[in-house]
Amino acid sequence: FEPKRLPVVALRRILSRVVLKKRASANSAERAAWAVNDLLFVSKGMPPSSAHDAAIRVIDGGVRLQAAVLSYCDTFIVVGLFVAVSLPLVLLLGRGKGKPAGEAH
């Protein structure tokens, strides 16, 4: 580790132990609890009001990246199936029994 710096993974593990899993009181106004994703941004000095929005943006970016990769994989499979079905059909067509292409007139 660099002096005075923790990696994100270690920081998340430490902060996840700080987050309250269940509240002792049913009244949410009585007791403040942080969400795990918010704590990472709050610990870096971000105000709590914008930490939640920043955490949501980070999660959204990860979800969008995963969706793009999955859609690419699905497209690759569909194109592969199209080629696999088309290739035997092209081979079954064979050559035409007409005149050669140069003597069409």
Side-chain angles (χ1 to χ4, degrees), residues 45-94:
M46 188 176 283
S49 60
S50 61
H52 181 70
D53 294 334
I56 294 296
R57 282 193 302 271
V58 168
I59 292 170
D60 181 54
V63 169
R64 286 178 187 263
L65 177 65
Q66 186 175 10
V69 169
L70 289 174
S71 66
Y72 181 79
C73 290
D74 291 343
T75 304
F76 185 78
I77 289 172
V78 168
V79 169
L81 288 174
F82 179 74
V83 169
V85 169
S86 301
L87 193 58
L89 293 176
V90 169
L91 294 175
L92 285 175
L93 285 176

